Amino acid sequence: MKIDVLITDALIVTCDSNHSIVENGVLGITNGKLSLLAKAGEFNKQGLSIGKTISADGSLVMPGLINMHCHAADSLFRGLVENLPLEQWLQKVWVAEKNILTPETTYTGSLLGLIENLIGGVTTVMDMFWYPSETVKAAKCLGMRIATGGIFFDLPAIGDRKHADFIAEAKTFYEQFSDDDDVIAVSMPHGTYTVSPEHLKDAYSLSVKYDGLFCTHAAETLFEQSDIRQRYGNTVIQHLAENRLLGRRTTLAHCVHLDEKEISVLKQSNTNVVLNPMSNLKLGSGIAPILELSNAGVNLTIGTDGAISGNDLDMWLAMRLVAGLPRGVSMQADALSAKQVLHMSTLNAALALNRYDDLGSIEIGKFADLIFIDIKNAHATPMFDPITHLVFGTNRSDVTDVFVRGRHIMKDKQIHNVDVLSVYEKVHKMADEIANTLKH
């Protein structure tokens, strides 16, 4: 058997359905996929053709994290709008975006946001933004996997685009990337309060036609719930359900304010939910009913939202909040296990992306999307349970190496495909212009 890359000396946390852990493990990668998983003592090199051997040097090796909700290019506006609730905050955000965003600046912002994700061990990002092809361009430049696609927005939009433009762009996106394993095509209407029912259904119909995914913001604030009730006589989730927009291909971002009936509808429809605790806390939006959603059996995933709302793109912080908040709210120390939370950032996310068969865990035949975690440090000593450490003790600074499809795209904390310092410098030069957008 041919092995392109052999990884040795690894503590392997597979994140498979059984949460299997392999101590002193060995991994083989062939044509970008995992072809070998074994303990070192049970591994025999005889009959193998090995191209390159990489020692993990005792590091913890696990699947790359999947950030299921991000606006990467909004990293350009990090910290620009502060101390406002979502609705007032959005009015200022949209002013800044309209003055700054073009395809070119979206590409620069996407690079910045995706670099931050990558450095933190994220290999796949679901990203909603105004020029998705630029986001794809940035992801490909870095070697990352991206889930994105045509946006839909009924209010005055970036680039003066109308609904017909958004439909045309979404169709083109689906057709361009339908056969690309590194691009997961999604219809991405902004929300029920910014997109009409007819236009939401147009977006969903495209996802069905092209066998893609559907993602929108939902039930993020009490104001949003009140607004949708006044307009349509329904809660947000019931509104989506009545328009036949729920189901396995749908992922809803936030879901902070839900009643029992809405949670039941999400479960019965097999709709996915992505939790964004840092953004919800910082904007004062509330705390999602994480435990109730989990107990109902809803497929939960985790996202960072954009750096414009949560100020950074740290999936480890997001995981820790998802693990901790329901314990504090319910006053139950065992409310949600570390295993459940780790799956939200790996295997559950792969299921939501309709990529359960090739992403989200270390198993033979899946893509080699891997990260190395340094555990030779004070906060990992002693480590009785690697999974508990990953959720409650790991920092993004512990990530040393990242592989996507077997490609070693970050080595010893250095990204090789992009000159990251030049990206930072370019954004620094834009800072005054960005700040001035809100001074008029």
Side-chain angles (χ1 to χ4, degrees):
M1 180 173 72
K2 178 187 176 186
I3 292 180
D4 299 324
V5 179
L6 183 72
I7 297 172
T8 62
D9 307 310
L11 171 58
I12 303 170
V13 177
T14 66
C15 295
D16 66 9
S17 58
N18 296 316
H19 302 281
S20 305
I21 295 174
V22 181
E23 296 183 7
N24 193 17
V26 177
L27 285 171
I29 302 170
T30 305
N31 296 326
K33 293 189 174 184
L34 295 162
S35 55
L36 173 70
L37 170 59
K39 290 185 177 180
E42 301 170 358
F43 168 63
N44 190 337
K45 287 186 179 181
Q46 262 191 329
L48 297 181
S49 172
I50 300 171
K52 182 179 183 181
T53 299
I54 298 173
S55 172
D57 194 27
S59 292
L60 188 154
V61 178
M62 65 170 288
L65 301 180
I66 300 175
N67 183 350
M68 280 293 292
H69 188 60
C70 189
H71 310 285
D74 263 339
S75 295
L76 294 173
F77 309 98
R78 186 193 317 266
L80 182 67
V81 184
E82 295 290 323
N83 306 317
L84 291 173
L86 178 71
E87 289 74 26
Q88 296 173 44
W89 176 87
L90 278 172
Q91 296 306 313
K92 289 184 175 290
V93 167
W94 289 335
V95 169
E97 287 183 338
K98 281 185 181 180
N99 279 278
I100 294 297
L101 292 176
T102 63
E104 181 182 3
T105 57
T106 295
Y107 173 69
T108 301
S110 295
L111 273 177
L112 179 64
L114 293 177
I115 286 169
E116 185 177 354
N117 273 281
L118 177 56
I119 288 171
V122 174
T123 52
T124 300
V125 179
M126 179 178 269
D127 194 85
M128 178 189 288
F129 214 64
W130 297 103
Y131 296 104
S133 293
E134 298 301 318
T135 310
V136 171
K137 180 180 170 184
K140 284 188 171 295
C141 191
L142 288 161
M144 297 176 72
R145 202 180 300 280
I146 193 80
T148 189
I151 194 167
F152 293 80
F153 193 73
D154 286 355
L155 304 179
I158 306 298
D160 295 320
R161 292 173 287 173
K162 307 299 183 188
H163 184 60
D165 300 312
F166 291 132
I167 287 179
E169 290 174 12
K171 286 181 178 178
T172 298
F173 189 93
Y174 274 118
E175 291 164 0
Q176 182 176 356
F177 296 109
S178 60
D179 296 323
D180 192 328
D181 282 331
D182 293 338
V183 180
I184 300 164
V186 191
S187 292
M188 306 193 97
H190 177 266
T192 54
Y193 59 101
T194 52
V195 183
S196 71
E198 294 76 17
H199 292 173
L200 285 168
K201 286 187 279 191
D202 287 343
Y204 189 83
S205 294
L206 286 175
S207 71
V208 173
K209 177 180 178 180
Y210 290 98
D211 195 24
L213 304 179
F214 179 88
C215 177
T216 191
H217 299 99
E220 187 172 357
T221 66
L222 286 172
F223 179 87
E224 179 188 342
Q225 281 284 19
S226 175
D227 182 30
I228 297 306
R229 278 195 183 95
Q230 288 180 8
R231 290 198 217 181
Y232 308 112
N234 259 327
T235 64
V236 173
I237 303 306
Q238 289 285 18
H239 176 63
L240 290 165
E242 286 200 0
N243 285 285
R244 302 191 177 189
L245 302 171
L246 301 181
R248 198 174 296 280
R249 76 176 68 246
T250 295
T251 295
L252 302 181
H254 300 295
C255 290
V256 175
H257 297 283
L258 304 174
D259 59 28
E260 289 182 8
K261 185 175 181 180
E262 288 179 290
I263 292 173
S264 177
V265 168
L266 291 174
K267 168 54 182 173
Q268 291 170 12
S269 61
N270 292 312
T271 298
N272 310 286
V273 169
V274 51
L275 304 165
N276 300 272
M278 188 64 246
S279 172
N280 299 152
L281 290 170
K282 189 166 184 288
L283 293 174
S285 300
I287 298 173
I290 300 170
L291 183 58
E292 292 82 353
L293 285 162
S294 178
N295 287 343
V298 176
N299 186 47
L300 296 178
T301 66
I302 298 175
T304 59
D305 210 345
I308 192 172
S309 58
N311 290 64
D312 70 4
L313 306 175
D314 187 348
M315 280 290 289
W316 303 97
L317 171 61
M319 276 196 286
R320 200 174 301 187
L321 286 170
V322 167
L325 285 170
R327 296 182 183 209
V329 170
S330 68
M331 294 185 287
Q332 299 176 42
D334 61 350
L336 208 62
S337 72
K339 289 179 178 178
Q340 288 174 291
V341 174
L342 189 61
H343 265 176
M344 292 179 195
S345 294
T346 53
L347 205 55
N348 289 15
L351 178 63
L353 294 174
N354 195 29
R355 297 292 293 272
Y356 191 88
D357 292 339
D358 62 11
L359 297 178
S361 61
I362 295 178
E363 298 182 73
I364 302 298
K366 289 197 171 188
F367 280 116
D369 291 8
L370 310 169
I371 58 176
F372 290 5
I373 308 291
D374 177 20
I375 52 175
K376 294 179 180 178
N377 49 52
H379 61 274
T381 306
M383 188 174 67
F384 300 111
D385 175 25
I387 293 177
T388 297
H389 173 68
L390 286 170
V391 173
F392 288 104
T394 299
N395 301 316
R396 57 181 172 178
S397 59
D398 296 333
V399 179
T400 63
D401 292 70
V402 179
F403 297 76
V404 174
R405 195 197 277 265
R407 301 175 302 232
H408 202 171
I409 62 174
M410 187 173 87
K411 183 178 181 181
D412 297 327
K413 299 190 177 185
Q414 298 298 313
I415 295 173
H416 298 292
N417 296 344
V418 172
D419 182 352
V420 297
L421 294 180
S422 70
V423 176
Y424 302 161
E425 181 61 26
K426 190 169 185 177
V427 175
H428 278 307
K429 289 179 180 178
M430 297 170 62
D432 286 345
E433 182 184 1
I434 292 169
N436 287 335
T437 61
L438 298 185
K439 292 181 179 179
H440 300 301

